[in-house]
Amino acid sequence: MAKIVIETGLRKGAEYTLAEKPMFIGREPECEIVVPDRMASRKHVRVWLEGGAFWAEDAGSHNGSLLNSKPLTAKTKLNDKDELIAGTTVLRFHALGTAASPPPPLTEKEKARGHRDTVAQPSGIAATRAPPPGPPPPPKPKLAPTDDPEVTMG
């Protein structure tokens, strides 16, 4: 699985999961990834899955396409974090899960709770989650003045 994230322009932050069928990037509303950019062609870049990898090629755009600041003049295999430019819009390709192995199956305890016992850390490393807090301890009984060891009877 892979995705493209728009990094500049009016749709900055928009994310698109890439499908097995070819997808077009351009300003035409029929494109799967629409970039409202006057410098982008109606169909600017074509991205597709072939042989287990994603590929890109210029779709005959008027101004040309760039891949990692170089002209995209032929079918080119996309690598994780590659930068595509259509018009003045910068898009980033992300290859998801290609290097990581799938997570292990849930334990019976995790299945019963409906979630895994790990949380993702910013570094991408999973850490063990602290168990949920139990019930609060019962309140301490109030001592009568004569039972309080601090109180001395005269």
Side-chain angles (χ1 to χ4, degrees):
M1 186 189 303
K3 70 179 178 179
I4 287 185
V5 179
I6 297 179
E7 294 193 338
T8 63
L10 295 173
R11 308 212 53 205
K12 180 179 179 178
E15 297 185 5
Y16 300 88
T17 300
L18 297 178
E20 291 186 21
K21 70 179 185 89
M23 298 176 75
F24 283 93
I25 300 169
R27 61 181 165 84
E28 188 172 84
E30 289 77 27
C31 288
E32 289 78 11
I33 302 174
V34 177
V35 292
D37 178 345
R38 289 184 169 201
M39 297 301 290
S41 293
R42 288 187 287 275
K43 286 188 176 175
H44 205 100
V45 178
R46 181 172 80 109
V47 177
W48 72 99
L49 180 64
E50 181 183 306
F54 281 92
W55 299 78
E57 69 181 354
D58 186 83
S61 67
H62 181 71
N63 293 320
S65 304
L66 298 178
L67 177 63
N68 300 322
S69 302
K70 296 179 182 157
L72 181 59
T73 57
K75 166 184 166 179
T76 305
K77 182 179 176 184
L78 293 173
N79 296 302
D80 190 38
K81 304 228 180 3
D82 274 352
E83 177 186 84
L84 285 164
I85 299 179
T88 60
T89 303
V90 177
L91 306 101
R92 182 80 52 194
F93 172 78
H94 295 275
L96 304 175
T98 53
S101 58
L106 293 175
T107 65
E108 293 303 317
K109 186 175 164 185
E110 291 169 333
K111 286 179 189 174
R113 282 198 311 269
H115 63 82
R116 191 169 297 282
D117 281 336
T118 58
V119 292
Q121 300 296 309
S123 63
I125 299 170
T128 304
R129 180 185 302 218
K140 292 184 179 178
K142 295 206 179 222
L143 300 173
T146 57
D147 294 339
D148 191 343
E150 298 293 319
V151 176
T152 56
M153 300 296 285

